[in-house]
Amino acid sequence: MVNFETQSGENPIQLSHAETDALLAAVSEQLNQNTFNPDDQKILKQMIESMGDSRGMVRLSFAEALGKVGKPVTPLLLEAVANHPNPVVRRASTKTLTLIADPIAVPTLVNALLNDEDTVVKGSSVGALARIGEAAVPALLEILASSTYPESAKGYAAWALAFIGAEGREYLYREINSDSPEVRAAVVGAIAKIAEESTEVEAFQILINALTDASPIVRCEAAVALGSLAHQPAIPNFVELLHHPDWETRKAAALALMKIGDVIALEPLQTALTQEQEAGVQAIIKLAISQLEKD
């Protein structure tokens, strides 16, 4: 493991609480007066080392101070994320990178997401990737498309894509045609956010088209999205899906019709109930009928 060293070649030491407080006070004053020197590597490294302090508020204060320093400290934070033996410092460093949102951090953050042993570091890394935005989208899509990365990492990546939303629309609209069902499902989730925030016609059309995707996870993701958005133009599509060969798709369609809440779906649901043989789907259709009758 690479030593986390100061410019002088000495390992930064964990200061006493009094010394740490004095450092924080001095740094805060300099930042407030715009006299802080962002080229002082020794001070920057000691600030990062002080994010291992046992006091949560002190760690937060140093993270905020480093966030104000901004991109000049990014390389040192990346070194800490990659090599620091203390998980508390790695956690704080990834959270500080969230504040800075420097695109050059993407490869190191992806590596931490995939390989760090600490779950908090993983979660903080994906939070930083989400804040970086569009520059992180290709790496997130690569995680989703891989057959070797764990499902937990793919879940994180899907969340980050949805958080990024419209900022990554260029990639998302293209990757809806990906060969990977997991990528398409994640893209559907992200496009749903775009549809919610901007009511883009293209976004809604992509979601409707996804209802006929070859993969059940994509169809169901699209159904959940359109149902949550209460998108009434999709009602005929859901009525058709009530008779789909895949029972999970039929269930998702019934739930979506229930969420949309238009009584026009009552008759198709009642017809579907008489033909449905899967007990779990029957229960959902009955629930949907009950809810629509109340409305």
Side-chain angles (χ1 to χ4, degrees):
M1 180 173 289
V2 177
N3 284 330
F4 192 68
E5 298 179 339
T6 62
Q7 193 175 33
S8 63
E10 299 174 353
N11 290 330
I13 60 171
Q14 186 64 56
L15 304 177
S16 68
H17 281 180
E19 291 170 326
T20 300
D21 293 344
L23 173 64
L24 180 58
V27 166
S28 298
E29 182 178 359
Q30 291 171 20
L31 286 169
N32 289 335
Q33 296 178 355
N34 294 319
T35 59
F36 183 85
N37 179 12
D39 296 322
D40 190 333
Q41 298 286 292
K42 185 173 182 179
I43 290 297
L44 291 175
K45 288 185 177 184
Q46 191 62 67
M47 290 171 68
I48 293 174
E49 193 68 21
S50 294
M51 290 198 296
D53 192 276
S54 61
R55 298 166 294 173
M57 287 305 298
V58 171
R59 296 197 298 272
L60 176 62
S61 296
F62 273 110
E64 291 175 342
L66 287 164
K68 291 178 181 177
V69 174
K71 292 184 178 180
V73 78
T74 296
L76 296 178
L77 289 168
L78 295 179
E79 183 182 346
V81 171
N83 299 314
H84 204 288
N86 185 349
V88 176
V89 174
R90 299 201 305 277
R91 293 172 186 174
S93 296
T94 53
K95 290 174 182 176
T96 306
L97 287 167
T98 303
L99 300 175
I100 299 173
D102 190 339
I104 71 168
V106 169
T108 299
L109 291 169
V110 167
N111 184 63
L113 167 61
L114 296 174
N115 299 309
D116 200 283
E117 297 175 354
D118 188 272
T119 55
V120 177
V121 173
K122 290 177 182 288
S124 298
S125 295
V126 81
L129 288 166
R131 285 296 300 273
I132 287 171
E134 182 181 4
V137 172
L140 294 168
L141 290 169
E142 184 178 340
I143 291 172
L144 288 162
S146 172
S147 60
T148 59
Y149 297 140
E151 289 302 314
S152 58
K154 293 186 177 186
Y156 276 131
W159 173 86
L161 278 178
F163 182 93
I164 293 168
E167 189 179 341
R169 63 162 57 80
E170 178 184 345
Y171 293 100
L172 298 173
Y173 286 171
R174 183 174 68 235
E175 291 302 319
I176 193 63
N177 297 313
S178 167
D179 291 336
S180 166
E182 289 176 304
V183 170
R184 298 199 303 276
V187 166
V188 163
I191 289 176
K193 186 180 178 185
I194 296 175
E196 180 182 9
E197 293 178 348
S198 66
T199 64
E200 284 188 18
V201 173
E202 184 177 4
F204 281 102
Q205 190 57 54
I206 288 173
L207 295 177
I208 289 177
N209 291 344
L211 293 174
T212 58
D213 193 277
S215 168
I217 64 169
V218 179
R219 294 194 300 270
C220 291
E221 186 73 28
V224 169
L226 288 164
S228 298
L229 292 166
H231 190 56
Q232 289 186 313
I235 289 176
N237 304 82
F238 288 128
V239 168
E240 185 175 346
L241 288 181
L242 289 173
H243 306 284
H244 195 280
D246 175 62
W247 71 268
E248 290 183 342
T249 301
R250 299 196 301 274
K251 177 181 174 182
L255 283 170
L257 288 170
M258 181 178 72
K259 288 182 180 179
I260 293 172
D262 193 320
V263 293
I264 197 173
L266 256 178
E267 186 176 339
L269 283 166
Q270 291 165 341
T271 299
L273 182 59
T274 64
Q275 301 171 358
E276 183 59 57
Q277 298 184 3
E278 187 74 35
V281 182
Q282 287 176 348
I284 295 301
I285 294 176
K286 288 178 181 177
L287 178 62
I289 291 171
S290 175
Q291 288 295 112
L292 290 176
E293 286 178 338
K294 287 179 183 178
D295 295 340

